[in-house]
Amino acid sequence: MPLALYLLALAVFAMGTSEFMLAGLLPAIASDLDVAVGTAGTLTSAFAIGMVVGAPLMAGLARTWPARSSLLGFVLVFAAAHVLGATTANFPVLFATRVVAALANAGFLAVALTTAARLVPADSKGRALAVLLSGTTAATIAGVPAGSVLGTTLGWRATFWAVAVLCLPAALGILKGVPAGPDRADEPHRPALRAELTRLRSRRLALVMLLSALVNAATFASFTFLAPVVTGTAGLSDLWISVVLVLFGLGSFVGITVAGRVSDHRPDLVVLVGGPLLLLGWPALAVLAHRPAALLVLVFVQGALSFALGSTLITRVLYEAAGAPTMAGSYATAAFNTGAAVGPFVAAASLGTTFGDLGPLWVSGLLVAVALLVAFPFRSVVAAGGRGAEADG
């Protein structure tokens, strides 16, 4: 894999840390800025919505720019938003910085996904995506726990400063590693924006985007609310929350790595094996969560299965959107983050039911079940390895 992919993954690590770090910082932010914790929680929603809206919007704006310039610009805007967030004492300003950061993150991912696919042979998009998304899994393994510790010891603003600083070597890496010259998207035969947008009418593309959103919604429904399961249902101390999050992150890294090696040519293997196991895993976790040993093992397994299946479906989005070379990454980003926004929202509603803290785990199982039921009649589309379809089937 080209060095440039790993440099892009460094930026994804910084951005992934920012996206997930607020889970451990909301009480401190609420206290410091004199707002309710629920109000502070809107910072998470603002980021997720900004990612969904920003992916196609930013990709459309940047489609005529050189990839290196676009990536560098998005990283610098992202860093600047965190500097402003770290220095403001005004909640509306902080809210605005999260929206701006999300737009920059969405634009970066949309361009990075497309760039990653161009840096490797046509049949290696899955492996390239695995390298790129390893930045996200590294964020859950190291970035988020480290941010939580930093926020606890030095205050929540220190975490914002740390994310801004992380962007600097990422920016340097982009300058050094991403080719400066025009890429294939800049050739004269590049499709017009309207032509690329018409790819969204493709039933095949719409299907894999829907499946990706459902699986990722299941993932983030439970990931977001693991803390009360750890301390409430399992009866462990607060220190174990970081352990569980790290285990989930390690599992996701293993899942992405393994799936990245087979999803280009045998996506059917990942879906047919991983899908049913993931479906069984969420209810099993809900039933056995009161046993700490089972909880720790199943969190790791579910992290691996969730990201194996989720990354495979994101790869399918890139293949099916092959006719939209500059917008394909934005479609993949939008699908992923639609799940990240919808999953926690649905899971939060389940907390007030008789299922209590275990409600999100049952919601995740339901979402995976829906995904598999939708996928079954169209399994040939999901299992189409190697190349994206140029026409609906």
Side-chain angles (χ1 to χ4, degrees):
M1 291 287 106
L3 174 62
L5 277 178
Y6 296 94
L7 299 174
L8 292 176
L10 175 61
V12 173
F13 169 75
M15 293 178 175
T17 298
S18 174
E19 183 172 5
F20 304 130
M21 70 183 182
L22 289 186
L25 303 178
L26 290 181
I29 292 174
S31 177
D32 188 26
L33 300 184
D34 195 25
V35 297
V37 173
T39 301
T42 61
L43 296 172
T44 300
S45 300
F47 199 95
I49 294 171
M51 288 287 289
V52 174
V53 175
L57 177 61
M58 294 295 105
L61 289 174
R63 67 188 302 271
T64 59
W65 305 343
R68 187 169 77 170
S69 298
S70 300
L71 293 168
L72 181 62
F74 286 131
V75 166
L76 294 179
V77 169
F78 186 84
H82 283 76
V83 170
L84 181 56
T87 56
T88 186
N90 185 283
F91 182 80
V93 172
L94 181 60
F95 186 95
T97 66
R98 296 306 289 171
V99 175
V100 171
L103 292 174
N105 190 356
F108 180 88
L109 278 179
V111 177
L113 285 167
T114 304
T115 301
R118 294 190 187 117
L119 290 173
V120 298
D123 61 350
S124 297
K125 292 180 182 179
R127 290 190 63 189
L129 180 68
V131 171
L132 190 65
L133 291 184
S134 67
T136 298
T137 60
T140 62
I141 295 168
V144 174
S148 179
V149 171
L150 188 61
T152 300
T153 56
L154 298 178
W156 67 269
R157 296 177 189 276
T159 305
F160 277 68
W161 279 113
V163 170
V165 170
L166 274 176
C167 290
L168 299 181
L172 181 61
I174 291 168
L175 282 173
K176 295 292 185 181
V178 178
D183 50 43
R184 287 201 297 266
D186 291 320
E187 295 176 355
H189 62 267
R190 180 186 64 205
L193 178 59
R194 178 175 296 182
E196 294 201 48
L197 292 175
T198 59
R199 285 301 299 166
L200 289 172
R201 299 177 185 173
S202 164
R203 287 172 293 173
R204 298 171 65 100
L205 176 58
L207 172 66
V208 291
M209 288 180 69
L210 173 61
L211 295 177
S212 176
L214 285 169
V215 169
N216 283 294
T219 301
F220 286 97
S222 288
F223 176 78
T224 303
F225 296 102
L226 277 177
V229 175
V230 174
T231 58
T233 304
L236 299 172
S237 68
D238 290 346
L239 293 176
W240 283 93
I241 294 175
S242 294
V243 174
V244 169
L245 294 178
V246 169
L247 281 174
F248 188 91
L250 286 170
S252 66
F253 179 79
V254 171
I256 281 181
T257 302
V258 173
R261 296 185 177 278
V262 299
S263 61
D264 287 307
H265 305 288
R266 291 297 307 275
D268 56 324
L269 185 62
V270 179
V271 175
L272 293 177
V273 175
L277 289 176
L278 182 63
L279 173 61
L280 293 173
W282 289 124
L285 182 55
V287 171
L288 299 174
H290 64 285
R291 300 183 179 181
L295 171 68
L296 297 177
V297 171
L298 284 171
V299 161
F300 176 86
V301 171
Q302 290 303 96
L305 292 171
S306 294
F307 276 80
L309 187 56
S311 65
T312 296
L313 292 170
I314 289 292
T315 301
R316 295 309 316 154
V317 173
L318 293 176
Y319 278 120
E320 294 298 335
T326 65
M327 296 297 290
S330 72
Y331 300 156
T333 302
F336 180 89
N337 284 284
T338 296
V342 172
F345 178 80
V346 178
S350 72
L351 293 172
T353 67
T354 55
F355 294 108
D357 293 341
L358 299 177
L361 302 178
W362 291 106
V363 166
S364 293
L366 178 62
L367 289 169
V368 174
V370 172
L372 294 180
L373 287 173
V374 171
F376 184 77
F378 306 101
R379 54 193 179 278
S380 62
V381 175
V382 181
R387 295 187 305 274
E390 295 300 329
D392 288 349

